[in-house]
Amino acid sequence: MRETPRPQGTAGESGSELPQHRPGRAFAHTTGAPRSGTPHRSDGRSSHTPRGARQTGPLVRSGTTPPVPGRTALLLSLVSGLSALFALTTWQIASDGPLRGLDERAGRALVGHGPRWLTEFLADLGNMQVALPVLGCAVGWSLLRGRRRAPLGAVLAMAAVPPLVVLLKDWIARPGPLTEATGYYPSGHAATAAVAYGASALLLGRLVRRRAWMMPVAAVLLTAATGIGLVLRGYHWPLDVLGSWFLCGLLLVPPGVLSRSRRRSSSRTPSC
């Protein structure tokens, strides 16, 4: 084997010395330890790896969706806004604040308007005998389609309505528009309608591919119609209804999150 000629040394160097490794120079047949004889690259990469193919960040599995910070911020903003509105409404009612006086004046002006049969029908949309079967059908269909977490979240949200409403009614003890009896804030009928129809829309909207936008629209219309009927019939003050909507908006956040997470996990599942 022909010996590689070494460069001429400078003045004062001995001619019998072995060639020295130059700092910063990569040798073709070293692995970091002198004379190991194994090919390597100076930066530790294999010799066939293109320079531009090196990964510079954390690896992301194929088919996965990275977290979207904007959605989390939007969710936190929604929860914060609903909590603030519910706290403000409850505080004004409990402390006999200015909003309570304005609310009672508006309620007295609205009572008795509209056909009796129509307003009674709208108020009855918040009855458990009407709203719960709608939610039950949505939960049953979701279970038949193989979903588990979202229906469970909807059932738990509905189960939380009675204890929360009863506790607040006993604490606030607000009289009704047409009676001196207490226990009218928040409205139980408005809360039942909001959670039942809202949760049903969340469940069905993920199962219906075409015209899915109709589900939340129908839920909003049914919930609003219930509140209008309750106020026009004199069963509740307007803030009784609004307070229930703010509270139930918070209760619907977990079913909404579970429903969206189920949709994202289904979209990441590879098809056979």
Side-chain angles (χ1 to χ4, degrees), residues 148-243:
R148 295 294 183 269
R149 292 185 298 173
L152 177 61
V155 171
L156 292 178
M158 190 72 249
V161 169
L164 288 176
V165 169
V166 171
L167 179 64
L168 288 169
K169 283 178 178 289
D170 292 341
W171 174 47
I172 303 299
R174 186 185 192 187
L178 303 177
T179 179
E180 294 298 324
T182 60
Y184 281 79
Y185 178 87
S187 169
H189 284 71
T192 300
V195 172
Y197 301 136
S200 298
L202 290 173
L203 295 176
L204 300 179
R206 303 304 177 188
L207 299 176
V208 178
R209 296 296 181 182
R210 297 180 179 179
R211 300 181 180 179
W213 58 270
M214 296 180 63
M215 298 302 170
V217 171
V220 170
L221 291 177
L222 289 172
T223 303
T226 304
I228 292 173
L230 293 171
V231 172
L232 295 182
R233 288 296 303 140
Y235 295 145
H236 282 285
W237 303 104
L239 284 184
D240 297 346
V241 174
L242 288 177

Side-chain angles (χ1 to χ4, degrees), residues 80-265:
S80 300
L82 290 173
S83 301
L85 290 173
F86 177 70
L88 174 64
T89 304
T90 304
W91 168 59
Q92 285 292 297
I93 299 301
S95 63
D96 198 10
L99 285 181
R100 176 170 178 170
L102 180 62
D103 176 53
E104 293 179 354
R105 290 193 296 271
R108 294 189 185 96
L110 292 172
V111 170
H113 285 72
R116 180 185 178 89
W117 66 270
L118 178 59
T119 56
E120 190 72 31
F121 171 79
L122 296 179
D124 287 343
L125 292 176
N127 287 341
M128 288 192 174
Q129 296 86 343
V130 179
L132 290 187
V134 175
L135 179 59
C137 292
V139 169
W141 191 20
S142 297
L143 292 174
L144 290 176
R145 296 294 295 271
R147 309 182 74 185
R148 295 294 183 269
R149 292 185 298 173
L152 177 61
V155 171
L156 292 178
M158 190 72 249
V161 169
L164 288 176
V165 169
V166 171
L167 179 64
L168 288 169
K169 283 178 178 289
D170 292 341
W171 174 47
I172 303 299
R174 186 185 192 187
L178 303 177
T179 179
E180 294 298 324
T182 60
Y184 281 79
Y185 178 87
S187 169
H189 284 71
T192 300
V195 172
Y197 301 136
S200 298
L202 290 173
L203 295 176
L204 300 179
R206 303 304 177 188
L207 299 176
V208 178
R209 296 296 181 182
R210 297 180 179 179
R211 300 181 180 179
W213 58 270
M214 296 180 63
M215 298 302 170
V217 171
V220 170
L221 291 177
L222 289 172
T223 303
T226 304
I228 292 173
L230 293 171
V231 172
L232 295 182
R233 288 296 303 140
Y235 295 145
H236 282 285
W237 303 104
L239 284 184
D240 297 346
V241 174
L242 288 177
S244 294
W245 290 349
F246 299 148
L247 174 63
C248 294
L250 294 172
L251 294 178
L252 289 174
V253 169
V257 172
L258 291 175
S259 181
R260 292 188 65 86
S261 64
R262 172 64 179 178
R263 183 185 183 185
R264 289 196 297 268
S265 63

